[in-house]
Amino acid sequence: VQLQESGPGLVKPSETLSLTCTVSGDSLNNYSWSWMRQSAEKGLEWIGRIYTSGNTDYNPSLKSRVTMSVDTSRNQFSLQVTSVTAADTAVYYCARGDGYCIRTTCYGLLAFDIWGQGTMVVVSS
Amino acid sequence: DIQMTQSPSSLSASVGDRVTITCRASQNIDTYLTWYQQKPGKAPELLIYAASTLQSGVPSRFSGGGSGTDFTLTISGLQREDFATYYCQHSHGTRTFGQGTKVDIK
């Protein structure tokens, strides 16, 4: 299984950052799919995840600006971050996972087991 | 959000050394703790999940332990390919990562 991020490497302040992750070697079904980002200032940060049902969980710190979507026919999932600033400059990763728990029962692997190589996004005019 | 604090932030070690990295959660996370290894310019790679379960293909010199708020990652017999940065991450609510521990060559 391989994941590959794609999208613009440069985004202007106040505009929308859009990335796509293409999954090869397996179906999107039966897993959730996540986005992370990494910067020197904030370290590794989980942005959120999407299930093939379309259900999503977002990091509350980014929830107002983040939208994730999934296209099972293309085996892709996508990330949009609106109203970007320099603070959104980072390496963005897509990853498979993770699972979730309801009370004491957990479903799926509670870890991000496969990652894309990452794509650098710079926010600058 | 639950905060994850790793110590030390960096350490220098020699090939063959035993190295232990600590990760502390700001509240009880049971065993919902994962360890990753990251090398420069690469994505993180999964080492250990559920605090102590080794991911398939990861050498047995890596081990994890702990529960609740205190966790450890131990490398028994450091190899040259182990020089990297290690991160802990919890899966109890909004996922957060530790700040990382860089292991470099003494």
Side-chain angles (χ1 to χ4, degrees), chain A residues 9-30:
Chain A
L10 179 65
V11 182
K12 290 183 168 55
S14 80
E15 294 190 345
T16 297
L17 177 161
S18 296
L19 296 174
T20 295
C21 183
T22 301
V23 179
S24 58
D26 198 2
S27 162
L28 292 182
N29 294 329
N30 303 318

mmCIF file of all heavy atoms in Angstrom, chain A residues 9-30:
data_model
loop_
_atom_site.group_PDB
_atom_site.id
_atom_site.type_symbol
_atom_site.label_atom_id
_atom_site.label_comp_id
_atom_site.label_asym_id
_atom_site.label_seq_id
_atom_site.Cartn_x
_atom_site.Cartn_y
_atom_site.Cartn_z
ATOM 1 N N GLY A 9 2.414 23.740 -4.008
ATOM 2 C CA GLY A 9 3.411 23.921 -2.964
ATOM 3 C C GLY A 9 3.441 25.328 -2.411
ATOM 4 O O GLY A 9 4.096 25.587 -1.400
ATOM 5 N N LEU A 10 2.726 26.242 -3.053
ATOM 6 C CA LEU A 10 2.701 27.642 -2.635
ATOM 7 C C LEU A 10 1.254 28.143 -2.650
ATOM 8 O O LEU A 10 0.546 27.988 -3.656
ATOM 9 C CB LEU A 10 3.566 28.482 -3.574
ATOM 10 C CG LEU A 10 3.635 29.985 -3.285
ATOM 11 C CD1 LEU A 10 4.308 30.241 -1.933
ATOM 12 C CD2 LEU A 10 4.396 30.700 -4.401
ATOM 13 N N VAL A 11 0.831 28.703 -1.540
ATOM 14 C CA VAL A 11 -0.530 29.233 -1.410
ATOM 15 C C VAL A 11 -0.431 30.643 -0.839
ATOM 16 O O VAL A 11 0.368 30.894 0.070
ATOM 17 C CB VAL A 11 -1.383 28.335 -0.480
ATOM 18 C CG1 VAL A 11 -2.818 28.869 -0.399
ATOM 19 C CG2 VAL A 11 -1.381 26.895 -0.978
ATOM 20 N N LYS A 12 -1.248 31.538 -1.361
ATOM 21 C CA LYS A 12 -1.226 32.922 -0.875
ATOM 22 C C LYS A 12 -2.025 33.048 0.428
ATOM 23 O O LYS A 12 -3.014 32.342 0.642
ATOM 24 C CB LYS A 12 -1.810 33.860 -1.929
ATOM 25 C CG LYS A 12 -0.932 34.048 -3.168
ATOM 26 C CD LYS A 12 -1.558 35.051 -4.123
ATOM 27 C CE LYS A 12 -0.579 35.461 -5.204
ATOM 28 N NZ LYS A 12 -0.027 34.322 -5.955
ATOM 29 N N PRO A 13 -1.602 33.963 1.283
ATOM 30 C CA PRO A 13 -2.351 34.195 2.526
ATOM 31 C C PRO A 13 -3.804 34.527 2.225
ATOM 32 O O PRO A 13 -4.111 35.198 1.235
ATOM 33 C CB PRO A 13 -1.628 35.395 3.146
ATOM 34 C CG PRO A 13 -0.241 35.313 2.605
ATOM 35 C CD PRO A 13 -0.379 34.779 1.203
ATOM 36 N N SER A 14 -4.693 34.036 3.071
ATOM 37 C CA SER A 14 -6.148 34.187 3.013
ATOM 38 C C SER A 14 -6.802 33.243 1.998
ATOM 39 O O SER A 14 -8.035 33.128 1.983
ATOM 40 C CB SER A 14 -6.571 35.628 2.719
ATOM 41 O OG SER A 14 -6.466 35.928 1.354
ATOM 42 N N GLU A 15 -6.021 32.564 1.181
ATOM 43 C CA GLU A 15 -6.613 31.650 0.205
ATOM 44 C C GLU A 15 -6.780 30.250 0.814
ATOM 45 O O GLU A 15 -6.570 30.046 2.009
ATOM 46 C CB GLU A 15 -5.762 31.630 -1.056
ATOM 47 C CG GLU A 15 -5.767 32.975 -1.782
ATOM 48 C CD GLU A 15 -5.136 32.938 -3.162
ATOM 49 O OE1 GLU A 15 -4.437 31.949 -3.478
ATOM 50 O OE2 GLU A 15 -5.337 33.904 -3.919
ATOM 51 N N THR A 16 -7.214 29.308 -0.029
ATOM 52 C CA THR A 16 -7.495 27.943 0.428
ATOM 53 C C THR A 16 -6.427 26.968 -0.018
ATOM 54 O O THR A 16 -6.063 26.934 -1.204
ATOM 55 C CB THR A 16 -8.872 27.478 -0.084
ATOM 56 O OG1 THR A 16 -9.886 28.328 0.470
ATOM 57 C CG2 THR A 16 -9.154 26.029 0.311
ATOM 58 N N LEU A 17 -5.926 26.206 0.922
ATOM 59 C CA LEU A 17 -4.954 25.142 0.656
ATOM 60 C C LEU A 17 -5.736 23.884 0.313
ATOM 61 O O LEU A 17 -6.666 23.501 1.049
ATOM 62 C CB LEU A 17 -4.113 24.934 1.911
ATOM 63 C CG LEU A 17 -3.041 23.849 2.018
ATOM 64 C CD1 LEU A 17 -2.099 24.200 3.170
ATOM 65 C CD2 LEU A 17 -3.623 22.477 2.223
ATOM 66 N N SER A 18 -5.380 23.243 -0.810
ATOM 67 C CA SER A 18 -6.073 22.019 -1.228
ATOM 68 C C SER A 18 -5.059 20.943 -1.569
ATOM 69 O O SER A 18 -4.168 21.173 -2.398
ATOM 70 C CB SER A 18 -6.962 22.287 -2.449
ATOM 71 O OG SER A 18 -7.985 23.195 -2.145
ATOM 72 N N LEU A 19 -5.200 19.798 -0.927
ATOM 73 C CA LEU A 19 -4.310 18.659 -1.171
ATOM 74 C C LEU A 19 -5.134 17.400 -1.401
ATOM 75 O O LEU A 19 -6.227 17.257 -0.851
ATOM 76 C CB LEU A 19 -3.378 18.436 0.014
ATOM 77 C CG LEU A 19 -2.367 19.546 0.339
ATOM 78 C CD1 LEU A 19 -1.638 19.227 1.632
ATOM 79 C CD2 LEU A 19 -1.385 19.740 -0.802
ATOM 80 N N THR A 20 -4.568 16.496 -2.187
ATOM 81 C CA THR A 20 -5.197 15.203 -2.437
ATOM 82 C C THR A 20 -4.202 14.100 -2.108
ATOM 83 O O THR A 20 -3.001 14.246 -2.353
ATOM 84 C CB THR A 20 -5.631 15.085 -3.900
ATOM 85 O OG1 THR A 20 -6.651 16.057 -4.148
ATOM 86 C CG2 THR A 20 -6.180 13.704 -4.218
ATOM 87 N N CYS A 21 -4.699 13.025 -1.562
ATOM 88 C CA CYS A 21 -3.894 11.843 -1.278
ATOM 89 C C CYS A 21 -4.426 10.685 -2.116
ATOM 90 O O CYS A 21 -5.618 10.341 -2.007
ATOM 91 C CB CYS A 21 -3.958 11.506 0.198
ATOM 92 S SG CYS A 21 -2.921 10.102 0.680
ATOM 93 N N THR A 22 -3.582 10.113 -2.938
ATOM 94 C CA THR A 22 -3.956 8.978 -3.762
ATOM 95 C C THR A 22 -3.406 7.698 -3.145
ATOM 96 O O THR A 22 -2.210 7.607 -2.854
ATOM 97 C CB THR A 22 -3.423 9.140 -5.192
ATOM 98 O OG1 THR A 22 -3.953 10.350 -5.753
ATOM 99 C CG2 THR A 22 -3.832 7.959 -6.063
ATOM 100 N N VAL A 23 -4.297 6.740 -2.943
ATOM 101 C CA VAL A 23 -3.931 5.472 -2.320
ATOM 102 C C VAL A 23 -3.813 4.405 -3.404
ATOM 103 O O VAL A 23 -4.723 4.235 -4.218
ATOM 104 C CB VAL A 23 -4.986 5.055 -1.285
ATOM 105 C CG1 VAL A 23 -4.611 3.716 -0.646
ATOM 106 C CG2 VAL A 23 -5.124 6.135 -0.213
ATOM 107 N N SER A 24 -2.702 3.693 -3.421
ATOM 108 C CA SER A 24 -2.510 2.602 -4.374
ATOM 109 C C SER A 24 -2.193 1.321 -3.613
ATOM 110 O O SER A 24 -1.593 1.357 -2.552
ATOM 111 C CB SER A 24 -1.390 2.927 -5.353
ATOM 112 O OG SER A 24 -0.182 3.180 -4.677
ATOM 113 N N GLY A 25 -2.635 0.215 -4.169
ATOM 114 C CA GLY A 25 -2.331 -1.077 -3.575
ATOM 115 C C GLY A 25 -3.393 -1.621 -2.653
ATOM 116 O O GLY A 25 -3.269 -2.739 -2.152
ATOM 117 N N ASP A 26 -4.412 -0.831 -2.362
ATOM 118 C CA ASP A 26 -5.500 -1.291 -1.507
ATOM 119 C C ASP A 26 -6.687 -0.353 -1.696
ATOM 120 O O ASP A 26 -6.531 0.774 -2.173
ATOM 121 C CB ASP A 26 -5.068 -1.307 -0.046
ATOM 122 C CG ASP A 26 -5.964 -2.158 0.837
ATOM 123 O OD1 ASP A 26 -6.925 -2.778 0.301
ATOM 124 O OD2 ASP A 26 -5.730 -2.200 2.061
ATOM 125 N N SER A 27 -7.843 -0.832 -1.267
ATOM 126 C CA SER A 27 -9.050 -0.022 -1.310
ATOM 127 C C SER A 27 -9.084 0.900 -0.099
ATOM 128 O O SER A 27 -8.475 0.640 0.940
ATOM 129 C CB SER A 27 -10.262 -0.949 -1.301
ATOM 130 O OG SER A 27 -11.417 -0.259 -0.932
ATOM 131 N N LEU A 28 -9.850 1.988 -0.223
ATOM 132 C CA LEU A 28 -10.047 2.887 0.917
ATOM 133 C C LEU A 28 -10.953 2.259 1.973
ATOM 134 O O LEU A 28 -10.948 2.678 3.139
ATOM 135 C CB LEU A 28 -10.663 4.198 0.460
ATOM 136 C CG LEU A 28 -9.830 5.141 -0.400
ATOM 137 C CD1 LEU A 28 -10.632 6.412 -0.699
ATOM 138 C CD2 LEU A 28 -8.511 5.489 0.255
ATOM 139 N N ASN A 29 -11.719 1.256 1.564
ATOM 140 C CA ASN A 29 -12.714 0.673 2.461
ATOM 141 C C ASN A 29 -12.076 0.051 3.707
ATOM 142 O O ASN A 29 -10.941 -0.428 3.667
ATOM 143 C CB ASN A 29 -13.540 -0.373 1.721
ATOM 144 C CG ASN A 29 -14.394 0.246 0.633
ATOM 145 O OD1 ASN A 29 -14.834 1.392 0.754
ATOM 146 N ND2 ASN A 29 -14.602 -0.481 -0.447
ATOM 147 N N ASN A 30 -12.822 0.045 4.777
ATOM 148 C CA ASN A 30 -12.438 -0.613 6.033
ATOM 149 C C ASN A 30 -11.369 0.125 6.825
ATOM 150 O O ASN A 30 -10.846 -0.407 7.807
ATOM 151 C CB ASN A 30 -11.960 -2.049 5.803
ATOM 152 C CG ASN A 30 -13.003 -2.900 5.109
ATOM 153 O OD1 ASN A 30 -14.182 -2.823 5.433
ATOM 154 N ND2 ASN A 30 -12.576 -3.682 4.140
#
